Structure formats: structure tokens, C-alpha cells
Amino acid sequence: IFGFVGYLGYAFEEITNIDPHLFLLIFLPPLIFESAFSVDYHIIKREALQALVLAGPGVIISMILTAIVARYIFPYDWSWSTALMFGAMLSATDPVAVVALLRSVGASKRLGTLIEAESLFNDGTAFVFFLIWRDFQVGEERTVGQVATFLVRLSLGGCLLGLAIGIIAVIWIAKTINSPVVETAITLATAYFTFWLAESNDVGMHVS
């Protein structure tokens, strides 16, 4: 028994030392792919403008209001960059439970799609602002032009890269005939490869 407890403690110690980027690389690609894959294209095309408004100005307003609360109400004496970084973290919503509830009560599919699409977009917006305020926190200041370039690169760059690789994957899958295993393998590999390529600094494609 004591030996088992010792091994268990060793296992927990190893888990605490795992690189957090490994968890992101393992779990995020299939989650993002599933969320995007399940969205109805025709509905999201009609709701795209509303989703972008919620994921753009909506996230910024939420971030600023949260930062004001953190700055003036919390007893931590945070700087504005820290408060805004905290606000950016809390501005990204997770609609999994909400969308599941809407489906179970028979709510409009249009509403569920709007919430899910907004969640897909606002994750990117909140993450970009988090990186900007984190850089300010460590002393790496950016000009307004650099911030704008950074926003465009991470918001549009990821979309364009995903679209390009998605087109290649669709053409590749279309050339496979009656091979579900190959199609599944291509789909999974595409999700992971796109995420790695968008996140990687090694190949100069850091657009996510």
C-alpha cells in the first residue's frame, strides 16, 4: 500500500511539472474543430455580423468594465495593465452548458448558433488582448500601430491559414473513395497540424 501511495505521489508530482502548452496542443485542436464543424454555415452566415459585434466591441466593453471592478473594488492594488489582463481572461465565455440547455428546451437553432459563433470569435479576441496586456506587464510596450498590426495578424491571419488548409484537406478527402479510416485520419491530422502551424514560432507562422 505504501509503495502504491509513493507511486501515486510521484505521478502527481510529474503531472504538476507537465508543460501547460502540451495540454493546449492535445485538447484544444479537437475542441475548436468540433465547435466549428457543428455550426450551421447558412445560419452563421446570417448571424456573422451580430456575432462579430458581440465578439469585438462586446468583449472590449466587458474587459474594460471587469478591469474597472478589479482596479477599484478588489483589494489587490493592481495596475491598469494587470486589471485589463484579468478582464481579458474573464471576457471569453464558454457556451457549452448554455447551448446544451437551449437544445434540450427546443430553443431556436439560430439563437444557439449565434451564441456558439460568438464564443468561437470572442476566444480569439480575448486572447489577443490578453497577450497585449501581458506584454505591457513585462515591460514590452507597443505603439498604436504595432497593436493594430498585432490584432490584424492574429485575427485575420489565423482565419486565412485555417481556410487555406481546410480547402486542401477537403480536396484531399474528396480524392479518397470509401475509406472512412483515411478520412478520419486526415481530419484529425488537419486539426492538429493547423493548430501547431498557427501557434508555432519555429516556422514564423505565429498567427494565433
Side-chain angles (χ1 to χ4, degrees), residues 49-63 91 118 121-122 125-126 129:
L49 182 59
Q50 297 181 58
L52 289 173
V53 169
L54 291 172
V59 168
I60 294 173
I61 293 170
S62 174
M63 176 184 67
S91 296
E118 187 270 337
F121 297 145
N122 75 15
T125 307
F129 279 110

Side-chain angles (χ1 to χ4, degrees), residues 12 19 36 44 56 61 83 105 120 141 148 151-152 155 159 170 192 195:
F12 279 123
D19 187 348
I44 197 174
I61 293 170
V105 299
L120 275 174
E141 297 186 2
L151 282 170
V152 171
S155 57
C159 293
V170 168
Y192 280 100
F195 182 85

Side-chain angles (χ1 to χ4, degrees), residues 21 35 55 57 84 107 127 129 142 145 147 152-154 162 167 173-174 182 194 206-207:
H21 291 90
S35 183
L84 287 166
F127 184 64
F129 279 110
R142 301 175 186 266
V147 169
V152 171
R153 178 164 64 88
L154 264 67
I167 291 173
I173 290 175
V182 175
T194 306
H206 186 53
V207 293

Side-chain angles (χ1 to χ4, degrees), residues 137-151:
Q137 187 71 13
V138 299
E140 184 181 337
E141 297 186 2
R142 301 175 186 266
T143 64
V144 175
Q146 289 174 329
V147 169
T149 303
F150 187 70
L151 282 170

Side-chain angles (χ1 to χ4, degrees), residues 158-199:
C159 293
L160 294 175
L161 177 65
L163 180 63
I165 297 180
I167 291 173
I168 295 172
V170 168
I171 295 173
W172 191 2
I173 290 175
K175 291 184 179 296
T176 62
I177 302 174
N178 296 328
S179 183
V181 175
V182 175
E183 293 174 2
T184 304
I186 293 172
T187 303
L188 281 174
T190 300
Y192 280 100
F193 175 72
T194 306
F195 182 85
W196 172 80
L197 191 60
E199 283 284 315

